[in-house]
């Protein structure tokens, strides 16, 4: 989407001279990894916005088998002992972060999130702390420990186990006896959470405990009452961790009920230290399914990698045996997460999906679903450039608002497309996103950081972040991916404009695509761990004549395949907008034409039926309805849908004042 005043519709006589040439692809093809096909635990969990992690011991990072599994399978790590008090502050005021730094720095470099474990716990506590007898001294010591440790790792920790195992076993439902409880009373937990929030406002703050999985147990009810009280009084608690150290029978029958009831209080729930004696397949399946069935169950951590790494090693409770081989329970967990068992002879779902992406497409269009909603301060002519995710039972749509005075962004959400027209419009110029030129948004959840990203153009490639997509006021102020326009774009842009930034990640790297309204598609790359920084090596990913490869590129991973789909908006010989498509086995190209011409387009008025009336002849800038919402941008190739901008065929005048509306295409020739 052009950041400046744009010309009106091009004349057919000019565009008729354009040849829709075959795409030039300067880049080379690389194969897609197994993780990109969601055949590993972390990759599959990420497709639903979750993580699948493991406890990590710094002393085992020199073990090649151990680190190979760690890097391949897990997208979250928890230091097993390295952040506990007896390691980080063995002597008062003298802090040792070396072992934990080794784990955190390694995980960060590989794009794995980190759970901090733990700030306050009665066990593994240095003798100098447990022997304190003065309440004021202990309070000062506790607050200083939390502040120092949390500040050291600020910005690197996804969630902290702020307080661990503070409730007593048995039937009392009360706090356990500890130096903290005995000197500071019940209020020590609240104090710890408030101190942690001050020290690291961005981290999720969790209470973590064992034997709280059965809903009717007194200990479970005691923790539940505490969380309910904290939420009612504004005590900063974001999540509850269920350790899930189970016997051979696995979780109690009420486990999912427990997770749901805690989540209903407004906190995330996490399975934080999972291991099951003898690793029965059914027990692991039931545990994972309980999490998957609760929207706010955001992740699962197993407590160790191989059976030999477990604190319960004699019970063989983990997913990998002592040699690092996958156990039967591994396949059960992968399947429960939605993945594909590696032992299958062939992935039949992949075959169906690949076959379902045809070489010719036909569509049916809705009428206009979303129109501008001007108010006293927003005199909007058109709503454009939509991006959309389905999350927590709602569609979340961000779009450009266009008027003679310029562009900005709007957000709306709704449960069903029938509600789209009546949804409230939240104008983001009233938030930290700010006024001024902002346009052509893209939204996705970046699972390694547990943050939502809104990518858009400001004359540069910009982004804002938000921990809660439901909160339109939660977006940060704009930041830029680049310090300035990359040289290769400056050298090739001619009289075009640098527009339509698009980010997609595979298991190792994130790629930023952009267009120049001059026949070039650019791609930059950074590692998953460096994102959003580090975008370099900008190349021309594809090129064609100016109007044949114009703007509004979308790139998606086709779910259950090693295939990527590229869509680019073109301007036809009749002056109307339409989409061409290509596929590749890697985000680095090469791109092979799929439906890529005026006579065989991906989506054009000529292959779209309009049961509600032909309200547009332009199929312009939009986005596919995705199968998930994370940074992999996966789509299910069965019965594709595309949210797009359309225009009254008789509209004319200044481009910025044209009355664009949003409609929905639904594929009508699926082979699935």
């Amino acid at each position: 989407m052009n950041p400046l005043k744009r010309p009106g519709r091009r004349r057919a006589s000019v565009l008729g001279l354009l040849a829709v040439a075959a795409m030039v692809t300067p880049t080379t093809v690389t194969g897609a990894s197994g993780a990109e096909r969601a055949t590993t635990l972390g990759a599959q969990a990420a497709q639903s916005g979750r993580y699948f992690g493991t406890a990590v011991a710094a002393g085992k990072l020199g073990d090649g088998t151990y680190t190979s599994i760690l890097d391949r399978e897990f997208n979250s790590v928890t230091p097993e002992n390295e952040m506990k008090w007896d390691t980080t502050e063995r002597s008062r005021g003298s802090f040792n972060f070396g072992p934990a730094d080794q784990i955190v720095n390694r995980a960060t470099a590989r794009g794995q999130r980190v759970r901090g474990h733990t700030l306050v716990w009665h066990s593994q506590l240095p003798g100098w702390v447990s022997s304190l007898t003065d309440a004021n001294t202990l309070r000062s010591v506790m607050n200083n420990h939390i502040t120092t440790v949390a500040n050291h790792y600020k910005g690197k920790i996804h969630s902290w186990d702020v307080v661990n195992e503070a409730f007593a076993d048995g039937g009392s439902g009360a706090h356990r006896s500890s130096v903290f409880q005995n000197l500071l009373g019940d209020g020590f937990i609240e104090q710890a959470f408030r101190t942690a929030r001050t020290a690291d406002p961005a981290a999720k703050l969790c209470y973590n405990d064992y034997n709280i999985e059965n809903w009717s147990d007194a200990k479970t009810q005691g923790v539940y009452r505490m969380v309910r009280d904290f939420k009612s009084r504004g005590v900063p608690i974001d999540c509850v961790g269920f350790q899930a150290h189970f016997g051979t029978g696995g979780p109690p029958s009420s486990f999912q009920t427990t997770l749901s009831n805690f989540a209903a209080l407004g906190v995330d729930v996490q399975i934080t230290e999972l291991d099951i004696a003898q690793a029965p397949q059914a027990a692991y399946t039931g545990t994972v399914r309980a999490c998957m069935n609760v929207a706010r169950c955001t992740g699962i951590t197993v407590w160790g990698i191989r059976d030999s790494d477990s604190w319960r090693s004699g019970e063989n409770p983990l997913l990998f045996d002592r040699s690092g081989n996958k156990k039967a329970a591994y396949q059960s967990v992968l399947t429960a997460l939605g993945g594909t068992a590696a032992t299958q002879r062939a992935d039949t779902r992949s075959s169906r999906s690949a076959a379902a992406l045809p070489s010719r497409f036909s569509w049916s269009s809705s009428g206009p679903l979303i129109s501008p909603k001007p108010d006293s301060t927003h005199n909007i002519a058109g709503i454009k450039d939509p991006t959309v995710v389905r999350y927590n039972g709602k569609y979340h749509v961000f779009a450009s608002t266009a008027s003679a005075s310029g562009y900005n962004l709007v957000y709306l959400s709704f449960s069903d497309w029938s509600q789209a027209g009546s949804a409230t419009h939240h104008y983001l110029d009233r938030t930290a996103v700010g006024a001024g030129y902002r346009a052509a948004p893209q939204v996705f959840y970046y699972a390694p950081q547990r943050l939502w990203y809104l990518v858009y153009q400001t004359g540069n490639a910009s982004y804002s972040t938000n921990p809660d997509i439901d909160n339109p006021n939660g977006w940060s102020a704009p930041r830029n991916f680049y310090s300035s326009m990359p040289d290769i774009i400056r050298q090739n842009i001619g009289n075009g404009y640098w527009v339509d930034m698009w980010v997609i990640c595979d298991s190792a790297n994130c790629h930023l695509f952009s267009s120049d309204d001059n026949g070039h598609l650019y791609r930059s790359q950074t590692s998953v761990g460096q994102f959003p920084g580090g975008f370099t090596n900008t190349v021309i990913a594809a090129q064609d004549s100016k109007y044949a490869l114009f703007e509004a590129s979308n790139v998606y991973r086709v779910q259950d395949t090693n295939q990527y789909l590229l869509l680019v908006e073109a301007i036809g010989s009749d002056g109307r907008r339409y989409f061409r498509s290509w596929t590749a086995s890697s985000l680095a190209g090469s791109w092979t034409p799929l439906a890529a011409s005026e006579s065989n387009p991906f989506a054009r008025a000529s292959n779209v039926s309009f049961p509600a009336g032909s309200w547009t002849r332009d199929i312009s800038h939009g986005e596919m309805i995705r199968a998930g919402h994370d940074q992999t941008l996966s789509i299910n190739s069965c019965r594709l849908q595309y949210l797009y901008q359309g225009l009254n065929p008789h509209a004319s005048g200044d481009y910025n004042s044209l009355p664009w509306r949003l409609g929905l295409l639904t594929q009508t020739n699926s082979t699935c």
Side-chain angles (χ1 to χ4, degrees), residues 114-116 119 150-151 153-162 193 196-206 236-239 268 270 449-451 467:
V114 182
R115 294 192 79 258
L119 294 172
N151 272 332
Y153 293 107
K154 187 173 183 178
K156 298 179 179 180
I157 300 297
H158 166 265
S159 49
W160 273 109
D161 288 334
V162 178
F193 274 85
R197 175 66 87 225
T198 300
D200 189 353
K204 295 286 186 178
L205 305 183
C206 307
I237 185 169
D238 304 307
C239 39
D268 292 342
Q270 303 168 351
Q449 297 171 0
R450 200 160 178 255
L451 274 177

Side-chain angles (χ1 to χ4, degrees), residues 111-135:
Q112 296 163 314
R113 68 178 60 179
V114 182
R115 294 192 79 258
H117 177 78
T118 176
L119 294 172
V120 178
W121 186 30
H122 68 276
S123 187
Q124 291 184 238
L125 195 64
W128 69 268
V129 180
S130 55
S131 63
L132 292 173
T133 58
D134 177 72

Side-chain angles (χ1 to χ4, degrees), residues 132-251:
L132 292 173
T133 58
D134 177 72
N136 288 332
T137 301
L138 178 59
R139 184 177 294 106
S140 176
V141 162
M142 183 183 76
N143 290 342
N144 181 66
H145 180 82
I146 294 170
T147 300
T148 303
V149 176
N151 272 332
H152 180 79
Y153 293 107
K154 187 173 183 178
K156 298 179 179 180
I157 300 297
H158 166 265
S159 49
W160 273 109
D161 288 334
V162 178
V163 177
N164 193 50
E165 300 178 4
F167 279 75
D169 296 321
S172 71
H175 292 178
R176 73 166 64 245
S177 176
S178 71
V179 65
F180 302 105
Q181 179 68 32
N182 298 343
L183 292 185
L184 302 179
D186 289 349
F188 87 88
I189 303 178
E190 177 176 341
Q191 179 68 57
F193 274 85
R194 292 193 183 277
T195 303
R197 175 66 87 225
T198 300
D200 189 353
K204 295 286 186 178
L205 305 183
C206 307
Y207 176 77
N208 191 58
D209 215 327
Y210 65 93
N211 285 354
I212 60 170
E213 293 84 12
N214 185 24
W215 176 241
S216 62
D217 285 354
K219 185 175 182 180
T220 306
Q221 291 299 308
V223 176
Y224 180 83
R225 287 192 296 270
M226 179 193 73
V227 176
R228 183 177 60 192
D229 172 60
F230 280 10
K231 295 300 290 185
S232 71
R233 295 190 293 109
V235 179
I237 185 169
D238 304 307
C239 39
V240 176
F242 299 80
Q243 292 184 14
H245 297 296
F246 295 137
T248 54

Side-chain angles (χ1 to χ4, degrees), residues 384-617:
K384 308 186 61 203
D385 318 318
T387 180
V388 55
V389 292
R390 179 79 175 175
Y391 178 72
N392 272 356
K394 293 194 297 186
Y395 291 103
H396 301 263
V397 175
F398 296 79
S400 304
T401 57
S403 67
S405 60
Y407 288 79
N408 207 271
L409 303 175
V410 67
Y411 162 73
L412 57 152
S413 63
F414 44 87
S415 298
D416 185 81
W417 290 106
S418 63
Q419 303 167 351
S422 59
T424 300
H425 287 207
H426 301 274
Y427 296 104
L428 299 191
D429 60 353
R430 294 170 173 164
T431 72
V433 171
Y437 181 77
R438 286 97 170 90
Q442 179 208 10
V443 68
F444 59 88
Y445 181 79
Y446 192 64
Q449 297 171 0
R450 200 160 178 255
L451 274 177
W452 291 94
Y453 273 75
L454 189 65
V455 177
Y456 48 95
Q457 61 196 43
T458 57
N460 199 327
S462 300
Y463 67 92
S464 295
T465 59
N466 190 344
D468 182 3
I469 194 173
D470 283 304
N471 178 16
N473 295 316
W475 293 101
S476 67
R479 288 166 245 174
N480 294 335
F481 288 110
Y482 307 91
S483 59
S484 61
M485 182 186 293
D487 288 342
I488 192 170
I489 301 178
R490 184 177 294 106
Q491 293 161 6
N492 288 277
I493 195 169
N495 294 323
Y497 302 97
W498 187 27
V499 296
D500 297 338
M501 291 72 189
W502 182 269
V503 172
I504 179 172
C505 306
D506 55 31
S507 61
N509 297 300
C510 293
H511 306 256
L512 196 159
F513 290 84
S514 60
S515 301
D516 66 0
D517 284 350
N518 194 35
H520 301 97
L521 179 70
Y522 302 98
R523 182 181 58 82
S524 303
Q525 180 175 310
T526 190
S527 69
V528 166
Q530 286 182 290
F531 181 84
F535 276 107
T536 56
N537 190 31
T538 304
V539 298
I540 297 175
Q543 61 186 7
D544 205 332
S545 58
K546 178 175 181 176
Y547 297 129
L549 193 72
F550 195 58
E551 59 186 25
S553 66
N554 295 187
V555 187
Y556 304 96
R557 186 180 72 86
V558 181
Q559 194 175 46
D560 301 326
T561 75
N562 64 347
Q563 189 177 55
Y564 289 89
L565 174 67
L566 166 66
L567 309 178
V568 181
E569 184 175 344
I571 303 177
S573 56
D574 58 356
R576 301 296 185 180
R577 305 299 183 101
Y578 75 101
F579 277 93
R580 304 171 67 200
S581 61
W582 297 260
T583 60
S585 60
S586 163
L587 287 169
S590 311
W591 295 100
T592 301
L594 179 64
S597 66
E598 283 198 73
S599 60
N600 181 26
F602 179 78
R604 190 169 184 253
S606 58
N607 67 343
V608 176
S609 63
F610 293 89
S614 298
W615 64 278
T616 180
R617 302 301 293 166

Side-chain angles (χ1 to χ4, degrees), residues 590-653:
S590 311
W591 295 100
T592 301
L594 179 64
S597 66
E598 283 198 73
S599 60
N600 181 26
F602 179 78
R604 190 169 184 253
S606 58
N607 67 343
V608 176
S609 63
F610 293 89
S614 298
W615 64 278
T616 180
R617 302 301 293 166
D618 291 274
I619 308 297
S620 185
H621 194 139
E623 189 181 347
M624 300 289 279
I625 307 302
R626 299 179 226 153
H629 52 269
D630 73 359
Q631 71 280 355
T632 62
L633 307 188
S634 298
I635 58 171
N636 186 325
S637 57
C638 293
R639 199 171 179 268
L640 300 172
Q641 289 188 299
Y642 192 84
L643 183 65
Y644 73 102
Q645 65 180 33
L647 180 68
N648 185 319
H650 305 295
S652 61

